[in-house]
């Protein structure tokens, strides 16, 4: 069967697709025929699409970017059908920040946890947000560079009332615009003749914006409409491909952070946000009263968005608008930014954000069974790659997904774990896995290093799939566990799924340590989980890491036996125009 699988972007021959039907059984399966109605339908296409007054061939969800907003209920199963209507590309859909440990083939990570959705096929994802995970998320394709446009907001509504009072909410999704197409960018990044994607042309808000920021233009800025005197929950989603931004709002009082990455936090006041790719924050904003507006010069105010840590600073805008007898001007941006242009605040909100609800499960240093230090740096040889502990990981490395191999008995995690321990790094270079056993407590340290060739450094937003981790902070130089334990004293680390490994400087001596980020994780959710930099360019260039939690027995005990249609590319768990899929209901 392995010989049937072509390049990730290729079309699988028809005979390989139907072979999956031979594995089907009727045990614990439900035929998702015309009588089955999914809760949400996403159709993925590739076509010309206009953003920032530029036409670009892009991967879209339901014909737009961003795609439709999904609303799921905490603790309730939702079925999301994803159609791949493209003719020559695979796709997956990842529910960013939501754990899929009990429905392992719904995580959306190709060649790690599942086969991608073949052209002309569809997949029904079973998603049940855990209790305690009400908050702000998003979905995106996890194939190549598709996630730059194949993206949309996902909101998990609470089973119980929110601990915070507000009148209404607004979703503000940030994304990047690149003039080059996905194929051109991927080819340039992975070629021996390395070609950079170029910097982002614009940071878009809810898909709107424009390239030029110092004059009037045909493209409208995004408008966030509010009414005087109301309190709003603003849900910010960092769905950028590359951009790490600072965001502030002209003429208003402080933001009050109440959520980070899907978890309520104790309120923290701030006059700006730093949002990396993959991160989400909710803030409360008190709108101006009508009396305050009458004293103001305008009824519209600028959100000012500044890119951080890049060779050139890009400042873009959106508009907060109050109802007015005259139309809001969405064509003009200020010739001079109304707010100071921001720089990176290293360690922003580290040790400051705390969980709103009491948390007794935080692992202490004494409980840590292993510390895994993952050195991160760039290397230029025949190709330009990003390495973790000396290795890159790309979708083309495994011949079939790790989770599929695990269920088919082709991956011996006991042997992999033994090799990883013997390596002294916790890493098995044969499988390129970081294996761990159930009930271990891991301290995972991401250690930034200067590039091999020139000492260059960058900021990296690291995202963990599976259950969220405790972020225990970051700092300059080399990680010192004793010193960090002193900094943790009296704090209550928040649970996150994306946090920033800072560079602290642009260059250093090659391989010299320059910044670290540390997490603690209780290994309870068996499965194969990606942990990777969320910058799409870096992912394409190998900045992905795969953890395997538990052995074959632990995975099967958690999810039960798997029907064979999930184990074959284009198998019977993936429907198409000629047959309905046989789907396991895990919950």
């Amino acid at each position: 069967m392995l010989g049937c699988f072509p390049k990730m972007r290729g079309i699988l021959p028809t005979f390989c697709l139907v072979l999956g039907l031979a594995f089907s059984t009727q045990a614990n399966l439900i035929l998702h025929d015309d009588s089955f109605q999914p809760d949400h339908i996403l159709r993925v296409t590739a076509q010309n699409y206009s953003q920032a007054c530029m036409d670009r061939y892009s991967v879209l969800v339901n014909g737009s970017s961003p795609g439709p907003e999904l609303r799921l209920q905490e603790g309730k199963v939702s079925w999301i059908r994803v159609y791949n209507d493209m003719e020559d590309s695979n796709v997956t859909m990842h529910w960013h920040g939501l754990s899929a440990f009990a429905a392992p083939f719904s995580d959306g990570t190709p060649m790690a946890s599942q086969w991608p959705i073949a052209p002309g096929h569809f997949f029904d994802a079973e998603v049940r947000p855990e209790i305690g995970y009400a908050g702000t998320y998003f979905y995106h394709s996890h194939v190549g560079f598709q996630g730059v446009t194949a993206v949309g907001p996902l909101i998990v509504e609470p089973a119980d009332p929110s601990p915070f009072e507000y009148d209404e909410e607004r979703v503000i999704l940030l994304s990047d615009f690149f003039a080059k197409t996905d194929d051109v960018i991927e080819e340039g990044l992975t070629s021996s003749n390395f070609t950079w994607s170029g910097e982002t042309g614009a940071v878009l808000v809810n898909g709107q914006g424009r390239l030029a920021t110092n004059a009037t233009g045909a493209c409208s800025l995004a408008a966030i409409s509010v009414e005087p005197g109301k309190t709003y929950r603003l849900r910010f989603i960092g769905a950028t491909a590359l951009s790490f931004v600072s965001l502030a709002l002209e003429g208003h009082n402080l933001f009050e952070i109440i959520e980070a990455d899907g978890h309520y936090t104790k309120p923290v006041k701030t006059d700006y946000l730093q949002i990396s790719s993959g991160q989400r924050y909710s803030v409360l904003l008190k709108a101006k009263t009508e009396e305050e507006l009458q004293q103001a010069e305008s009824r519209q105010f600028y959100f000012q968005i500044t890119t951080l840590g890049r060779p050139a600073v890009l400042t873009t805008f959106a508009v907060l608008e109050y109802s007015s007898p005259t139309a809001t001007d969405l064509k003009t941006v200020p010739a001079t930014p109304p707010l100071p242009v921001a720089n990176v605040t290293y360690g922003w909100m580290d040790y400051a954000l705390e969980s709103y609800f009491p948390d007794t499960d935080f692992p202490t240093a004494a409980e840590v069974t292993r510390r895994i230090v993952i050195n991160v740096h760039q290397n230029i040889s025949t190709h330009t790659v990003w390495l973790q502990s000396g290795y890159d990981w790309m979708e083309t490395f495994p011949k079939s997904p790790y989770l599929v191999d695990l269920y088919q008995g082709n991956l011996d995690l006991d042997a992999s774990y033994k090799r990883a321990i013997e390596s002294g790094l916790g890493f098995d270079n044969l499988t390129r896995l970081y294996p761990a056993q159930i009930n271990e407590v891991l301290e995972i340290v991401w250690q930034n290093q200067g590039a091999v060739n020139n000492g260059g450094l960058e900021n990296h937003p690291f995202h963990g799939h599976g259950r969220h981790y405790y972020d225990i902070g970051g700092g300059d130089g080399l990680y010192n566990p004793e010193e960090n334990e002193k900094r943790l004293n009296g704090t209550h680390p928040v649970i996150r799924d994306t946090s920033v490994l800072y560079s602290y400087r642009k260059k250093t001596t090659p391989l010299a340590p320059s910044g670290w980020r540390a997490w603690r994780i209780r290994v309870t959710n068996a499965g194969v989980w990606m942990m990777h930099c969320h910058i799409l360019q870096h992912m394409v260039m190998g900045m992905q890491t795969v953890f395997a939690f538990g052995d074959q027995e632990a995975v099967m005990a958690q999810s039960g036996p798997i029907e064979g249609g999930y184990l074959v590319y284009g198998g019977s768990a993936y429907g198409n125009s000629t047959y309905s899929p046989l789907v396991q209901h895990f919950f």
Side-chain angles (χ1 to χ4, degrees):
M1 289 304 300
L2 300 184
C4 290
F5 188 63
K7 292 182 179 180
M8 288 293 297
R9 301 190 62 81
I11 305 176
L12 193 71
T14 302
F15 76 90
C16 290
L17 297 178
V18 297
L19 273 176
L21 291 170
F23 289 84
S24 300
T25 66
Q26 296 301 317
N28 301 317
L29 296 176
I30 294 178
L31 183 68
H32 281 195
D33 57 15
D34 291 344
S35 66
F36 175 80
Q37 296 298 316
D39 300 286
H40 303 278
I41 293 176
L42 303 178
R43 303 202 76 116
V44 180
T45 57
Q47 61 195 72
N48 285 324
Y49 187 70
S50 180
Q51 282 185 317
C53 285
M54 296 276 288
D55 285 335
R56 180 184 188 272
Y57 190 75
S58 300
V59 179
L60 307 176
V61 182
N62 291 13
S64 67
S65 180
E69 178 182 300
L70 302 184
R71 292 260 168 176
L72 309 184
Q73 182 72 44
E74 185 181 41
K76 179 183 176 182
V77 170
S78 292
W79 286 94
I80 307 173
R81 176 165 291 181
V82 181
Y83 285 90
N84 183 1
D85 292 332
M86 296 184 289
E87 297 180 352
D88 58 359
S89 297
N90 294 311
V91 75
T92 65
M93 202 59 71
H94 171 55
W95 322 105
H96 182 103
L98 295 181
S99 170
F101 66 91
F105 294 96
S106 291
D107 189 51
T109 46
M111 307 312 291
S113 66
Q114 66 191 93
W115 292 108
I117 307 169
H121 285 65
F122 65 86
F123 182 76
D124 288 342
E126 185 178 18
V127 182
R128 186 181 73 172
E130 295 181 78
I131 297 295
Y133 278 60
T136 309
Y137 301 85
F138 65 109
Y139 60 87
H140 62 85
S141 171
H142 222 289
V143 172
F145 208 74
Q146 293 176 1
V148 69
T149 51
V151 63
L154 188 158
I155 308 301
V156 175
E157 297 179 330
D160 297 319
S162 166
F164 298 100
E165 293 184 359
Y166 49 90
D167 298 299
E168 297 180 30
E169 60 182 59
R170 300 286 186 265
V171 174
I172 300 173
L173 184 143
L174 307 175
S175 60
D176 281 326
F177 177 83
F178 289 90
K180 294 179 181 179
T181 64
D182 298 347
D183 286 349
V184 170
I185 289 173
E186 289 180 50
E187 176 63 26
L189 296 175
T190 57
S191 170
S192 57
N193 183 23
F194 175 79
T195 305
W196 177 234
S197 63
E199 298 298 307
T200 184
V203 177
L204 306 177
V205 173
N206 296 337
Q208 293 182 274
R210 68 171 186 267
L211 301 184
T213 59
N214 60 356
T216 57
C219 295
S220 295
L221 302 178
I224 310 300
S225 301
V226 296
E227 296 180 27
K230 287 188 175 182
T231 299
Y232 288 86
R233 178 179 184 168
L234 305 182
R235 297 179 181 267
F236 291 96
I237 299 173
T240 52
L242 173 66
S243 295
F244 178 26
V245 305
S246 180
L247 183 147
L249 176 59
E250 175 192 20
H252 283 67
N253 292 329
L254 301 177
F255 291 135
E256 189 170 45
I257 300 174
I258 61 167
E259 177 219 342
D261 291 358
H263 300 281
Y264 290 120
T265 65
K266 293 180 181 179
V268 178
K269 286 182 167 39
T270 179
D271 56 3
Y272 69 101
L273 299 175
Q274 276 191 183
I275 308 173
S276 73
S277 175
Q279 291 186 316
R280 292 91 59 212
Y281 293 98
S282 282
V283 304
L284 295 182
L285 176 72
K286 180 70 173 177
K288 290 182 179 295
T289 64
E290 188 60 48
E291 291 74 18
E292 290 173 323
L293 286 169
Q294 289 176 2
Q295 298 176 19
E297 296 180 359
S298 174
R299 296 180 72 90
Q300 70 178 63
F301 303 86
Y302 287 106
F303 286 99
Q304 182 171 311
I305 305 162
T306 303
T307 58
L308 303 172
R310 301 305 307 165
V313 174
L314 175 67
T315 301
T316 56
F317 301 92
V319 174
L320 184 78
E321 64 172 1
Y322 291 84
S323 56
S324 172
T326 59
T328 303
D329 179 6
L330 300 178
K331 303 295 187 181
T332 305
V333 298
T336 302
L339 299 169
V341 175
N343 293 313
V344 177
T345 302
Y346 295 110
W348 184 78
M349 288 296 161
D350 284 357
Y351 310 96
L353 289 178
E354 298 185 3
S355 174
Y356 182 86
F357 298 105
D359 189 347
T360 59
D361 196 44
F362 171 63
T364 65
E367 294 178 86
V368 172
T369 57
R370 275 196 297 146
R371 179 178 298 119
I372 299 174
V373 178
I374 304 175
N375 293 312
V376 176
H377 66 268
Q378 190 183 84
N379 187 40
I380 303 173
S381 53
T382 57
H383 293 74
T384 301
V385 293
W386 285 98
L387 304 177
Q388 295 77 231
S389 295
Y391 287 85
D392 59 349
W393 191 92
M394 299 181 185
E395 295 166 6
T396 53
F397 168 72
K399 299 301 182 184
S400 59
Y402 292 109
L403 197 60
V404 168
D405 283 347
L406 193 61
Y407 273 100
Q408 292 182 327
N410 296 326
L411 175 60
D412 186 345
L413 285 181
D414 290 333
S416 182
Y417 182 81
K418 181 180 179 181
R419 289 191 296 269
I421 296 299
E422 290 175 347
S423 75
L425 302 173
F427 177 66
D428 174 20
N429 62 9
L430 185 63
T431 59
R432 300 194 191 177
L433 285 173
Y434 286 87
Q437 296 179 337
I438 298 298
N439 295 323
E440 281 195 275
V441 176
L442 303 181
E443 190 165 281
I444 299 173
V445 180
W446 304 94
Q447 182 68 62
N448 220 343
Q449 295 180 319
V452 169
N453 305 81
N454 56 22
L457 292 156
E458 293 192 29
N459 302 304
H460 303 289
F462 271 95
H463 171 57
H465 291 219
R467 198 179 297 278
H468 294 184
Y469 53 77
Y470 289 90
D471 188 297
I472 61 171
D476 196 1
L478 187 68
Y479 178 63
N480 184 317
E482 291 77 19
E483 289 300 317
N484 194 51
E485 202 60 28
K486 294 176 184 177
R487 296 180 70 182
L488 286 173
N489 186 34
T491 68
H492 302 276
V494 70
I495 299 174
R496 299 297 298 263
D497 62 57
T498 310
S499 53
V500 179
L501 172 65
Y502 293 100
S503 61
Y504 290 91
R505 54 195 54 81
K506 293 181 179 179
K507 280 193 174 185
T508 186
T509 304
L511 298 182
S514 181
W516 55 269
R517 170 66 54 185
W519 303 345
R520 284 190 192 149
I521 300 176
R522 290 189 187 276
V523 180
T524 56
N525 51 326
V528 178
W529 308 111
M530 296 293 296
M531 297 186 188
H532 59 86
C533 177
H534 210 268
I535 292 174
L536 295 189
Q537 287 90 334
H538 294 178
M539 290 175 62
V540 169
M541 295 165 66
M543 204 170 191
Q544 304 182 86
T545 304
V546 187
F547 277 75
F549 286 177
D551 55 15
Q552 183 182 37
E553 182 180 356
V555 172
M556 289 187 170
Q558 185 167 266
S559 301
I562 295 296
E563 194 277 326
Y566 288 87
L567 306 181
V568 181
Y569 177 76
S572 57
Y574 298 79
N576 65 18
S577 60
T578 62
Y579 64 83
S580 300
L582 285 166
V583 179
Q584 287 188 234
H585 286 220
F586 290 94
F587 295 107

